[in-house]
Amino acid sequence: MAETNFVDYVKIFAASGNGGAGSTHLHREKYIPKGGPDGGDGGRGGHIILRGNRNYWTLIHLRYARHVYAGHGGSGSSSRSFGKDGEDKIIEVPLGTVAYDAETGEFLAEITEDKQEVILLKGGRGGLGNWHFRTATNQTPRFAQPGEPKQEKTIILELKVLADVGLVGFPNAGKSTLLSVVSAAKPKIANYPFTTLVPNLGIVQYRDNKSFAMADIPGIIEGASEGKGLGLRFLRHIERNAILLFLIPADSKDIEKEYQILLNELTAFNPELAQKKKLLAISKSDMLDAELMEEMKKELPENIPVIFISAVSGYGIPELKDMLWQAVSREKENPVNILHRPLEVKHIQKDDEDSEFEDNEEGFESDDEDDFYYDVEE
Ligand SMILES: Nc1nc2c(ncn2[C@@H]2O[C@H](COP(=O)(O)OP(=O)(O)OP(=O)(O)O)[C@@H](O)[C@H]2O)c(=O)[nH]1
Ligand SMILES: [Mg+2]
C-alpha cells in the first residue's frame, strides 16, 4: 500500500437527526363535527453509527467525509399517522478504530469486531401527537410534543492496528526484512533508517493451517515519545498488539542499553505497555560466529526471552515462530487489556494539517476503492 494511503487519523463533524414533531391535528369530517384529536407522533431522528468492517484497513475513505449528518424524523400528521424515522448514517471503519470527543479527548467507543455497531450520537426521539394528551377534562388538546433535538459533536477517529505481534526496534534493525521472510507481505527494505513510514501487516502461516498477524511498525528512536523521528504517530499502534517482539541487530554495541531505550520510549508513551508480553530477537545473527554468540549470551538483558535469528540465512526463524505462536496463544487465553485513556491534547492534531483536502459534504466517496482494502497476500 502506498504510504500516502495510510490514514490512521480523521476528524469528523457529526450530527444525528432531530426527532419529528408530534401533530396537533383535530379530526374533521362531514357529519362528524367534533372528531377529536388525531395528531400522530413524530419520527425518530437518524443515529450516527460506527460499524466495523474487516475489509477496511485504513481510514482513508473518511478523509473527505468532514461532515456526516443523519436524517431528521418526519412530523406526525392527521389520522394518527407516524412521521418517518430519519435515516441513520453509518460510518464504516477498520477493526481497531477508536473514537474520541475532539474537544475533550474523552474516549467514546472502540470497534474491534466485524459488523460491530456502536451508536455514537443518538437521533432525537419523535414528539407525541396530541392524541396522547386527551383527558376527561381536555377532549381537544391543541398541543403536542416537539421532537427531541439532535446531538452534534466533532469526533476523532484513530486507528490502532490490531495485530498479534508488533515489531519494535530502531530504524534499520531488520523489522521489514523479518516480516517479508515470515509472511507474504512485501514491505520496502533498504539499508537506511526510516525506510518504513507506515505500519505493514503480514499474516504468518504456522503449522496445521494456524496463523497470526504481525505488524511491522516504523522505527523508534530515543525521544520518540516526545515526537522525535516519526514520533508519537506510530507508537499508538503498539498499544493494540498482543505481543511485542523487540528486534536488536547483532552488530549493536550494547544490546542491553538499546533494549532499555526502546522500553523507555514505550512506557513514556503509555506506562501500561510495560505489562505487555515481550520477546527479544537478536537480528542479523548471520554476522556472528558460534564463539561470538556465546560471548554475547553472557550480556543479554534479563527478564525477557531472547533468541538469535537471521532473516537472511533463516537461522532461528522456525524457533522464533514457535515462540511467537506459544506466546500469542497464551496471551489470547489471558489477555492484558490496556485501558482506554482519554486522548491527550498533545495527541490531537491541528485542523490545518491536511488542509489541502477540500470539504466534501457528500462524504464517503473516493476515486480508488481498491486502496482501502487490506490485502492478505497468501
Ligand atoms: N546481514 C543481514 N542483514 C539484514 C538482515 N535483515 C535485514 N538486514 C539488512 O538490514 C537493513 C535494514 O533492513 P530493514 O528490514 O529495512 O530494516 P527496518 O528495521 O525495517 O528499518 P526501518 O524501516 O528503517 O525502520 C537492510 O539493508 C537489510 O538487508 C539479516 O538477517 N542479516
Ligand atoms: Mg522497515
Side-chain angles (χ1 to χ4, degrees):
M1 182 179 298
E3 275 137 20
T4 49
N5 290 339
F6 184 82
V7 174
D8 56 359
Y9 180 104
V10 293
K11 208 189 248 184
I12 296 177
F13 176 81
S16 60
N18 288 321
S23 160
T24 55
H25 194 264
L26 297 176
H27 187 68
R28 293 274 178 272
E29 207 175 319
K30 220 174 172 183
Y31 311 121
I32 309 177
K34 285 189 180 160
D38 71 345
D41 303 346
R44 169 179 73 71
H47 300 315
I48 298 288
I49 297 173
L50 211 55
R51 175 157 72 195
N53 182 335
R54 66 191 176 94
N55 295 322
Y56 284 110
W57 125 261
T58 82
L59 297 169
I60 192 168
H61 58 296
L62 298 173
R63 195 152 196 182
Y64 302 95
R66 292 303 178 78
H67 302 98
V68 179
Y69 301 106
H72 298 306
S75 303
S77 52
S78 56
S79 313
R80 289 191 226 160
S81 296
F82 293 106
K84 259 176 87 173
D85 285 348
E87 196 192 331
D88 293 337
K89 264 283 152 55
I90 293 173
I91 307 176
E92 303 243 20
V93 292
L95 312 187
T97 299
V98 184
Y100 300 95
D101 180 324
E103 259 160 52
T104 62
E106 183 199 351
F107 166 82
L108 301 174
E110 180 185 25
I111 296 290
T112 53
E113 280 165 43
D114 192 35
K115 302 198 170 69
Q116 178 190 350
E117 290 192 357
V118 175
I119 297 180
L120 275 186
L121 299 176
K122 268 195 143 148
R125 258 185 317 183
L128 297 176
N130 63 349
W131 180 75
H132 291 273
F133 300 107
R134 83 213 125 89
T135 58
T137 50
N138 186 356
Q139 298 277 329
T140 51
R142 284 164 207 277
F143 57 85
Q145 274 182 340
E148 231 177 35
K150 64 186 175 184
Q151 298 178 346
E152 42 184 50
K153 203 172 254 175
T154 304
I155 287 159
I156 288 174
L157 297 179
E158 258 194 9
L159 174 66
K160 303 184 191 219
V161 172
L162 292 175
D164 299 307
V165 178
L167 297 178
V168 176
F170 288 102
N172 239 1
K175 301 180 293 299
S176 303
T177 312
L178 175 64
L179 184 75
S180 74
V181 168
V182 296
S183 79
K186 294 179 188 63
K188 193 163 139 193
I189 294 167
N191 192 14
Y192 57 81
F194 299 118
T195 313
T196 304
L197 297 174
V198 300
N200 295 299
L201 204 60
I203 306 296
V204 182
Q205 298 296 339
Y206 192 63
R207 291 179 218 145
D208 310 327
N209 289 328
K210 290 185 285 228
S211 63
F212 55 93
M214 183 185 269
D216 167 24
I217 294 154
I220 291 171
I221 57 171
E222 191 163 13
S225 57
E226 290 149 18
K228 292 218 179 99
L230 296 177
L232 300 167
R233 215 188 129 197
F234 294 110
L235 283 172
R236 69 165 175 267
H237 292 296
I238 293 172
E239 288 181 331
R240 287 283 165 265
N241 298 148
I243 306 288
L244 302 181
L245 177 62
F246 286 69
L247 226 61
I248 298 180
D251 58 353
S252 143
K253 289 196 187 69
D254 190 338
I255 290 175
E256 164 90 53
K257 188 170 157 208
E258 291 201 359
Y259 172 65
Q260 282 307 331
I261 293 174
L262 290 169
L263 197 58
N264 287 345
E265 290 308 324
L266 297 197
T267 50
F269 176 72
N270 179 354
E272 290 182 60
L273 286 173
Q275 295 160 29
K276 289 244 170 207
K277 173 78 182 156
K278 301 173 198 68
L279 303 171
L280 171 60
I282 309 301
S283 60
K284 312 190 188 181
S285 294
D286 50 288
M287 298 194 290
L288 304 173
D289 55 25
E291 201 181 330
L292 202 51
M293 213 182 277
E294 285 311 311
E295 273 306 300
M296 284 171 72
K297 280 184 183 162
K298 293 175 195 152
E299 292 169 23
L300 292 172
E302 285 161 14
N303 309 326
I304 180 167
V306 186
I307 179 169
F308 285 82
I309 62 163
S310 164
V312 168
S313 72
Y315 178 80
I317 299 294
E319 292 81 358
L320 174 69
K321 281 184 166 185
D322 286 341
M323 275 171 84
L324 291 173
W325 175 257
Q326 280 168 22
V328 167
S329 321
R330 229 175 291 136
E331 178 63 28
K332 278 192 174 151
E333 277 163 28
N334 209 349
V336 173
N337 285 318
I338 298 271
L339 295 175
H340 287 292
R341 299 166 306 151
L343 196 62
E344 285 176 44
V345 178
K346 65 179 179 184
H347 297 191
I348 297 181
Q349 293 173 20
K350 288 195 201 73
D351 278 335
D352 48 346
E353 213 155 272
D354 32 31
S355 54
E356 78 251 38
F357 295 98
E358 302 272 301
D359 276 6
N360 171 359
E361 299 206 4
E362 299 291 306
F364 296 87
E365 273 115 317
S366 144
D367 6 312
D368 191 359
E369 290 263 330
D370 288 344
D371 282 348
F372 315 151
Y373 290 94
Y374 142 49
D375 214 7
V376 182
E377 298 162 90
E378 270 351 348

